[in-house]
Amino acid sequence: MTDTISLGVHPSAVRRSTRLESDRVPAFVERDQFDKVVRRIVEGGFVLIVGDSTAGKSRLAYEAMRVAVPDFLLLQARPSEDLQTFSSTVCALRRCVVWFDEFDQFLRAGGITLQMVNAMLADPERQVVLLASMRSKEYDRYSARQRDVPDAATWRAGREVLLHAAEPVELDRLWSPREIERAQGAGRDPRLRAAAQASDRFGVAEVLAAGPELLNDWMHAWQTGEHPRGAALVAAAVDCRRMGVHRPVHTSRLVALHEIYLSARGGAVLRPEPLADALAWATAPGAGGQ
């Protein structure tokens, strides 16, 4: 299995020097939790990695899986399929990894149950790993403090499944000094070095994944009827930074400047949204809180 993006790994921007689609995923930088995840996978059972969005959970799980069980069969579960039939398929296999990306989607009504989990992991003669990743925010929804939920039965069923798993592996969004040092020394990939330089505010994986997404959102926002006024506000802020203004720029100044960018793109023809909506769009957090 080499297509990490299909497993849920966030793509990065393609390097200008190559422009190859195969370059969408940078070289892996070993995380501090890597050996622990490898060991847990070798032991088998339910392995759950929890962390913020774009913390690098899926990439860590993938790379650890390749080291721990390189010759196992891989089955990718999808929340939309018949999970009872899927679990029966797993029960018929002797050596496999079952991949659950965004595991909270499997805990909804009609989703995976503790009985399915127990069945897939039954029989000590079989070697089965349930390898799952889950955002911290979703994992916290199943804590004992969150009992007041609309669908209590579904919440209890999901909580049962999570309590059955061994203690989750927590993956921090911000990288440790050792991890940053590894990223800075990761060959000649300028994306990793640039992301490591921004590690004082954001995680390296967060910059690699969320940066391109934010850029795509910005470019798409210029389209007629989307968020052209919001895109113009961002353009004004970006140029302030490019001119060397590293302190926050007051909203009133950006509002005055953005009209220049909006007019250059077509002005009223773009059907720009109200200023309040534009400011809300331009300041809304994206993946990982960026």
Side-chain angles (χ1 to χ4, degrees):
M1 179 63 191
T2 58
D3 184 4
T4 56
I5 295 177
S6 71
L7 292 176
V9 174
H10 292 279
S12 179
V14 178
R15 283 181 292 182
R16 294 179 181 179
S17 59
T18 62
R19 291 296 181 189
L20 297 175
E21 189 64 23
S22 59
D23 195 42
R24 297 297 304 279
V25 179
F28 176 63
V29 177
E30 187 172 301
R31 305 297 299 274
D32 292 343
Q33 296 281 33
F34 181 74
D35 290 340
K36 180 177 182 179
V37 177
V38 169
R39 185 169 62 252
R40 293 276 293 273
I41 294 174
V42 169
E43 293 170 354
F46 194 162
V47 182
L48 177 63
I49 302 176
V50 174
D52 288 341
S53 176
T54 66
K57 303 181 297 296
S58 297
R59 186 66 187 277
L60 171 62
Y62 171 76
E63 299 293 345
M65 175 182 67
R66 291 181 64 192
V67 170
V69 287
D71 56 346
F72 274 34
L73 182 67
L74 175 64
L75 287 84
Q76 184 175 7
R78 301 188 185 279
S80 58
E81 63 187 314
D82 183 345
L83 294 175
Q84 185 64 62
T85 301
F86 181 85
S87 63
S88 298
T89 300
V90 174
C91 291
L93 300 171
R94 300 198 63 80
R95 293 202 313 169
C96 67
V97 175
V98 185
W99 182 276
F100 294 98
D101 185 47
E102 297 187 8
F103 191 62
D104 55 285
Q105 296 187 15
F106 295 87
L107 300 178
R108 298 170 181 172
I112 196 166
T113 64
L114 180 58
Q115 289 71 28
M116 294 180 196
V117 171
N118 287 335
M120 287 187 285
L121 297 178
D123 188 353
E125 297 300 320
R126 298 167 57 242
Q127 295 174 286
V128 177
V129 181
L130 308 184
L131 185 53
S133 61
M134 192 172 181
R135 287 174 292 169
S136 299
K137 182 178 180 180
E138 299 300 331
Y139 183 80
D140 289 343
R141 292 183 191 276
Y142 293 91
S143 72
R145 296 171 298 172
Q146 304 294 330
R147 294 176 181 274
D148 187 17
V149 292
D151 189 345
T154 300
W155 178 84
R156 284 194 298 269
R159 180 172 164 80
E160 277 189 342
V161 172
L162 293 177
L163 288 177
H164 176 86
E167 182 180 352
V169 177
E170 298 280 350
L171 186 63
D172 290 335
R173 176 178 62 86
L174 295 179
W175 286 31
S176 72
R178 292 189 301 272
E179 291 170 332
I180 295 170
E181 185 177 352
R182 294 182 203 121
Q184 291 171 335
R188 299 181 178 180
D189 194 331
R191 296 170 299 182
L192 286 170
R193 293 197 299 273
Q197 291 175 356
S199 59
D200 58 330
R201 293 184 60 201
F202 306 108
V204 174
E206 182 180 2
V207 174
L208 290 171
E213 289 186 21
L214 290 173
L215 178 60
N216 288 335
D217 289 347
W218 181 25
M219 295 297 99
H220 179 75
W222 284 111
Q223 297 184 25
T224 302
E226 292 297 330
H227 298 280
R229 191 180 300 278
L233 286 167
V234 173
V238 167
D239 273 359
C240 286
R241 182 64 179 254
R242 293 174 66 194
M243 289 188 298
V245 181
H246 296 289
R247 295 188 303 274
V249 179
H250 196 275
T251 305
S252 61
R253 178 157 297 179
L254 292 178
V255 169
L257 290 172
H258 94 281
E259 293 289 355
I260 301 170
Y261 298 87
L262 188 61
S263 297
R265 289 286 189 129
V269 175
L270 299 175
R271 301 203 304 274
E273 71 277 28
L275 179 60
D277 292 348
L279 287 169
W281 177 86
T283 56
Q290 289 200 46

